Amino acid sequence: MLKSRIAKLFTIAIISISMVIGLYFYSSVAKNRKNDFVREFPPHLITADTIKSIANSDLYIAGSNGKFVYLSSKKSKNTLLRFDLQTLDSDTNKIRALKDFNVYDDAEVQVESENIFLTQGFAGNIRSGMLKDLILTKTTQIFPFYSVVSITDTSYVIRYINKSNKNVLAIYSTQNRLVSEKNISTKQGDEIFSNDGILLKTPDKRIAFVYYYSNNFIVTDQNLNESYKAKTIDTNTIAKIKVKKIRSTGDLTMSAPPLIVNKEACANNDHLFIRSGLKADNQVPEEWSNSSTIDVYNLKNGNYEFSFYLLDLGKDKLVSFKVYNKTLVALYHNVIYTFKLNF
């Protein structure tokens, strides 16, 4: 009995050690995998400016009015932290509403110019108000959506799944309801997951959609008239995802972790900034592992221009970033950091 137990423990130990060794070698191979593209890293593209510690680790960048950048909390949905873009001096405020309402887990605060929005995609509603008093006074009821950006006080661009089970962009007007719909399908098998991505608006109200799982992005005017389609610098034209159907509900779900090509994106008037998920062949694995790589594209034509690093701060990795004019705001778990763009 004792010998049998010892044999089992020995076998388990061997299997565990083998798994650790296997994961190590897999990680090593992944870091050095050839992706068939290279990046340009000109010197002095950004200059570190101001850094400040933050207490909460669940914050995200809600937006800016040009003078201040605003952070909100994933847990405390009515909390809004305001940081001066020049000094990072800060204060904390609370968002209020004229009437009580249910706030769901997917609720997200957006700040733009002098307006504030609380969007809830699963519930299909948008609440809005003025930044000066932080009171949500208006409710727009739509239908379930995945992402939204405001165009005017009465119109929004939304991304949702239509009746044909396709990812689409559409203009929603509070006066005319659904105005127009733009199909963003890349026709890669499933029409949902492979066409998932990042919806954003430039300061001059152009619309960009950057795909998570392939090297595609689209730029349109505010009426969703296409300006151009372009590709990111990498070579992943096909989304590398696996999808299966849940028998009990018939819903589709991912059956394996996807290869994320584009993790995050934002824009100013001149450039599109994309946080890449793929290492270029000319990047040193250690540099890739200890930083976030930001690729910069010309918004006029979608051409790649160059890249730069946002370094990890010790073990503290970048959570998210936004660019406002010539100021880049980088949010880490423990600090907020601003950089000046030199281009």
Side-chain angles (χ1 to χ4, degrees):
M1 180 70 73
L2 182 59
K3 288 183 177 180
S4 175
R5 188 173 297 175
I6 292 173
K8 287 182 180 178
L9 290 174
F10 181 75
T11 302
I12 292 172
I14 292 297
I15 292 172
S16 299
I17 292 171
S18 298
M19 289 179 65
V20 170
I21 293 173
L23 288 172
Y24 172 80
F25 279 107
Y26 175 79
S27 175
S28 178
V29 170
K31 287 181 180 179
N32 292 281
R33 180 185 293 133
K34 295 292 184 180
N35 286 311
D36 296 326
F37 71 97
V38 297
R39 287 188 165 98
E40 298 290 336
F41 288 93
H44 315 305
L45 288 178
I46 64 173
T47 302
D49 190 19
T50 310
I51 187 170
K52 185 172 184 177
S53 297
I54 53 177
N56 298 341
S57 61
D58 69 330
L59 298 174
Y60 63 91
I61 302 173
S64 174
N65 66 348
K67 183 178 181 181
F68 299 96
V69 62
Y70 294 84
L71 308 186
S72 188
S73 168
K74 295 176 183 177
K75 295 178 182 177
S76 180
K77 306 291 186 178
N78 66 334
T79 298
L80 197 66
L81 283 75
R82 184 177 70 169
F83 292 82
D84 187 291
L85 275 172
Q86 298 298 320
T87 65
L88 289 186
D89 292 339
S90 64
D91 57 23
T92 302
N93 301 278
K94 295 293 183 181
I95 303 168
R96 296 175 293 147
L98 293 180
K99 294 182 179 180
D100 291 340
F101 59 91
N102 292 327
V103 179
Y104 300 99
D105 288 342
D106 70 321
E108 182 180 276
V109 175
Q110 295 182 15
V111 173
E112 183 184 338
S113 185
E114 299 305 320
N115 300 306
I116 184 169
F117 304 89
L118 181 74
T119 68
Q120 300 195 111
F122 292 155
N125 61 54
I126 303 167
R127 287 178 167 83
S128 58
M130 298 300 294
L131 186 60
K132 62 182 180 181
D133 55 24
L134 295 178
I135 301 176
L136 302 174
T137 58
K138 179 182 177 182
T139 299
T140 301
Q141 191 64 43
I142 309 178
F143 43 76
F145 57 83
Y146 287 96
S147 51
V148 59
V149 294
S150 66
I151 300 300
T152 67
D153 292 339
T154 60
S155 64
Y156 304 89
V157 171
I158 59 174
R159 181 178 70 84
Y160 69 103
I161 307 299
N162 68 5
K163 294 180 180 179
S164 301
N165 271 340
K166 293 182 179 180
N167 252 309
V168 296
L169 301 182
I171 298 175
Y172 187 89
S173 167
T174 57
Q175 299 171 333
N176 304 321
R177 304 296 177 175
L178 195 63
V179 175
S180 62
E181 191 174 273
K182 178 175 180 57
N183 187 356
I184 54 174
S185 170
T186 51
K187 298 180 181 179
Q188 296 184 18
D190 86 282
E191 298 282 356
I192 299 177
F193 295 108
S194 61
N195 297 308
D196 196 1
I198 307 153
L199 172 64
L200 61 95
K201 182 182 68 172
T202 68
D204 58 359
K205 296 186 178 181
R206 283 176 287 176
I207 300 298
F209 185 78
V210 181
Y211 293 78
Y212 281 130
Y213 309 121
S214 63
N215 64 347
N216 299 294
F217 64 92
I218 300 169
V219 175
T220 75
D221 64 17
Q222 65 180 17
N223 297 313
L224 296 184
N225 297 311
E226 188 175 297
S227 299
Y228 60 83
K229 290 180 179 177
K231 292 189 179 297
T232 53
I233 189 175
D234 67 276
T235 57
N236 279 263
T237 57
I238 303 297
K240 293 179 175 60
I241 60 175
K242 294 182 180 179
V243 177
K244 69 177 181 180
K245 183 177 288 188
I246 300 173
R247 288 184 181 180
S248 58
T249 63
D251 294 333
L252 293 176
T253 185
M254 287 194 184
S255 59
L259 177 69
I260 301 177
V261 174
N262 303 307
K263 292 182 175 181
E264 188 180 3
C266 62
N268 59 15
N269 274 334
D270 301 315
H271 296 98
L272 176 66
F273 302 82
I274 297 179
R275 181 182 177 186
S276 178
L278 299 178
K279 184 179 75 69
D281 293 350
N282 64 326
Q283 288 182 270
V284 178
E286 287 72 22
E287 289 182 338
W288 167 258
S289 299
N290 298 320
S291 64
S292 295
T293 300
I294 310 300
D295 296 329
V296 182
Y297 298 85
N298 190 313
L299 261 180
K300 291 182 180 179
N301 50 30
N303 290 341
Y304 169 75
E305 293 197 346
F306 41 72
S307 303
F308 60 86
Y309 289 118
L310 289 176
L311 300 178
D312 298 348
L313 303 179
K315 294 184 178 180
D316 196 356
K317 289 188 170 292
L318 181 72
V319 174
S320 64
F321 77 103
K322 299 290 184 198
V323 176
Y324 303 109
N325 196 10
K326 292 292 185 179
T327 299
L328 185 149
V329 179
L331 180 64
Y332 294 79
H333 288 104
N334 299 312
V335 303
I336 181 172
Y337 207 162
T338 60
F339 298 81
K340 295 302 181 184
L341 301 184
N342 302 320
F343 56 89

